[in-house]
Amino acid sequence: MSGDGNPKSEWLNTLTGGPVGVKDEIEEFALRMVRLVDSTRGKWVVLKAESRFVSGLGRSHPVENGFAWHPTLGIPYLPGSSVKGMVRAWASLDADPRPEQRIRDRIFGSRDVTGNICFMDALPIEPIRLEVDVMTPHYAGWTEREAPGDWRSPIPVPFLVTAPKTPFLFGIGPRNAGADLDLAQVQGWLGESLEQAGAGAKTAVGYGRFVLDEARTAELRKKLQEADRRREERIRRGREIREREEWLARLSPVERKIQKLIDSRADPNMPEATLIYGEISKARWSDEEKIEAARWLKSKMEATGKWKPTTKAKKPEKDKVYQRTLTVQRWLDSQ
């Protein structure tokens, strides 16, 4: 709806220029909700609005007709209580076959009994686009003697709506043990009521019709698996870091210094013994540190087959491994 000189319409149109909602926050909320439903062995599904959708028209609002904004995400939503009411009405009036009252009470609850099924808030799974619609239910200038009629000038009332094709996440879960059969039944009623009756306000004129969005449902499941994989990786990495910190804490100061040098080497492929040998040779160690480092170096050289106290080379001075062994041994003998 473009600007028509109505200040209310013009103000509402300022909200329709771009996507509404923060993508990362919406996606994180959706994944948490899916995890919650999955953890209770509930059911969830993504349904796409075939038509415009609006809820909360009866709420207070500067332009007369309200709009239901999620309190933390700032996007349109359908409260879980509304979803429950919609499905219950469908089960009571339109379901085929129509369940008995005792079954409806078991599933939805009654004045004295808690129902078997929990209904989650239904929210978009991505930033949404808003549109402005208008209705003209009011006629000015009429009295008890002069009834309102089509010959009078109507007063247009603009209001916000969610654009068609918006994907919403719906979820239900068991409240009590043994509700598996009820879950399957309610899942069927949910899909039927959303497709044939609609959710939210103005369903009588076609608003709020939803159909299954299999592609988005599969995509959300894939995102959940990837998010869980990243979370497991973070947990694993955090555990490795803690274990390494505990291991470093058990080392002597010299051993920690050696490990720090190894961790910060420019070439990760450089042999550890070669690196530490070069560092000890720079004479930046105290006598006590040099002797402890030489012990570490000898142990490393022995473990890698590089400790060579004797040689059969015709020119011993050219046997680098042998010469390095002699140097390390001299460091050890200096204690």
Side-chain angles (χ1 to χ4, degrees), residues 143-268:
T143 66
E144 292 182 359
R145 294 183 177 182
E146 298 182 56
D150 293 341
W151 58 89
R152 298 184 183 278
S153 296
I155 302 174
V157 180
F159 61 98
L160 284 174
V161 298
T162 301
K165 310 303 181 184
T166 301
F168 275 73
L169 173 62
F170 290 81
I172 56 177
R175 187 188 301 274
N176 304 310
D180 291 347
L181 292 178
D182 289 341
L183 274 171
Q185 180 69 80
V186 171
Q187 185 180 27
W189 290 339
L190 176 65
E192 292 171 1
S193 59
L194 286 169
E195 182 176 358
Q196 300 182 42
K202 296 182 71 66
T203 55
V205 292
Y207 276 56
R209 300 296 197 275
F210 288 82
V211 294
L212 176 64
D213 192 331
E214 294 181 353
R216 288 271 184 39
T217 300
E219 180 183 351
L220 185 57
R221 174 66 71 184
K222 184 177 180 181
K223 286 183 178 180
L224 176 65
Q225 293 171 347
E226 178 61 23
D228 287 344
R229 186 195 64 78
R230 292 195 300 268
R231 183 175 62 174
E232 290 299 322
E233 178 63 23
R234 289 194 299 270
I235 293 173
R236 184 192 64 79
R237 182 57 181 161
R239 182 169 58 248
E240 289 178 350
I241 291 174
R242 289 192 300 273
E243 290 173 351
R244 181 175 176 78
E245 289 175 348
E246 293 172 357
W247 173 69
L248 288 172
R250 294 193 294 268
L251 299 179
S252 68
V254 172
E255 288 173 326
R256 282 197 295 271
K257 183 176 180 180
I258 290 172
Q259 195 59 50
K260 183 177 180 180
L261 290 168
I262 292 172
D263 293 341
S264 60
R265 56 188 160 175
D267 180 6

Side-chain angles (χ1 to χ4, degrees), residues 16-297:
T16 63
V20 175
V22 180
K23 181 178 183 299
D24 290 345
E25 293 179 358
I26 295 173
E27 185 173 298
E28 180 184 356
F29 189 97
L31 293 178
R32 288 206 307 268
M33 177 173 159
V34 169
R35 287 194 188 97
L36 173 62
V37 174
D38 282 347
S39 69
T40 62
R41 299 179 62 187
K43 306 286 186 180
W44 63 269
V45 67
V46 177
L47 297 112
K48 178 173 59 179
E50 285 194 305
S51 56
R52 288 173 163 179
F53 166 78
V54 61
S55 66
L57 284 184
R59 297 185 176 187
S60 299
H61 195 272
V63 295
E64 295 187 51
N65 290 304
F67 196 68
W69 297 99
H70 190 269
T72 57
L73 296 176
I75 55 177
Y77 82 115
L78 188 64
S81 56
S82 297
V83 179
K84 179 179 179 179
M86 174 193 67
V87 177
R88 184 167 195 164
W90 178 264
S92 301
L93 303 174
D94 298 298
D96 185 19
R98 188 181 304 173
E100 298 177 6
Q101 181 66 49
R102 61 179 181 82
I103 296 177
R104 299 202 301 270
D105 288 345
R106 183 187 72 216
I107 293 175
F108 300 104
S110 63
R111 186 182 299 274
D112 303 315
V113 180
T114 300
N116 272 352
I117 306 300
C118 294
F119 293 80
M120 312 297 176
D121 293 342
L123 293 104
I125 62 171
E126 61 190 29
I128 60 94
R129 184 167 57 86
L130 293 174
E131 296 178 351
V132 177
D133 201 352
V134 65
M135 55 183 167
T136 53
H138 304 306
Y139 291 89
W142 61 276
T143 66
E144 292 182 359
R145 294 183 177 182
E146 298 182 56
D150 293 341
W151 58 89
R152 298 184 183 278
S153 296
I155 302 174
V157 180
F159 61 98
L160 284 174
V161 298
T162 301
K165 310 303 181 184
T166 301
F168 275 73
L169 173 62
F170 290 81
I172 56 177
R175 187 188 301 274
N176 304 310
D180 291 347
L181 292 178
D182 289 341
L183 274 171
Q185 180 69 80
V186 171
Q187 185 180 27
W189 290 339
L190 176 65
E192 292 171 1
S193 59
L194 286 169
E195 182 176 358
Q196 300 182 42
K202 296 182 71 66
T203 55
V205 292
Y207 276 56
R209 300 296 197 275
F210 288 82
V211 294
L212 176 64
D213 192 331
E214 294 181 353
R216 288 271 184 39
T217 300
E219 180 183 351
L220 185 57
R221 174 66 71 184
K222 184 177 180 181
K223 286 183 178 180
L224 176 65
Q225 293 171 347
E226 178 61 23
D228 287 344
R229 186 195 64 78
R230 292 195 300 268
R231 183 175 62 174
E232 290 299 322
E233 178 63 23
R234 289 194 299 270
I235 293 173
R236 184 192 64 79
R237 182 57 181 161
R239 182 169 58 248
E240 289 178 350
I241 291 174
R242 289 192 300 273
E243 290 173 351
R244 181 175 176 78
E245 289 175 348
E246 293 172 357
W247 173 69
L248 288 172
R250 294 193 294 268
L251 299 179
S252 68
V254 172
E255 288 173 326
R256 282 197 295 271
K257 183 176 180 180
I258 290 172
Q259 195 59 50
K260 183 177 180 180
L261 290 168
I262 292 172
D263 293 341
S264 60
R265 56 188 160 175
D267 180 6
N269 296 318
M270 176 182 288
E272 296 177 0
T274 301
L275 171 70
I276 301 306
Y277 178 85
E279 290 295 328
I280 298 175
S281 300
K282 294 178 181 178
R284 297 176 181 173
W285 306 64
S286 67
D287 292 341
E288 292 80 3
E289 289 178 332
K290 188 174 183 179
I291 291 171
E292 185 175 348
R295 293 197 194 99
W296 180 93
L297 187 56

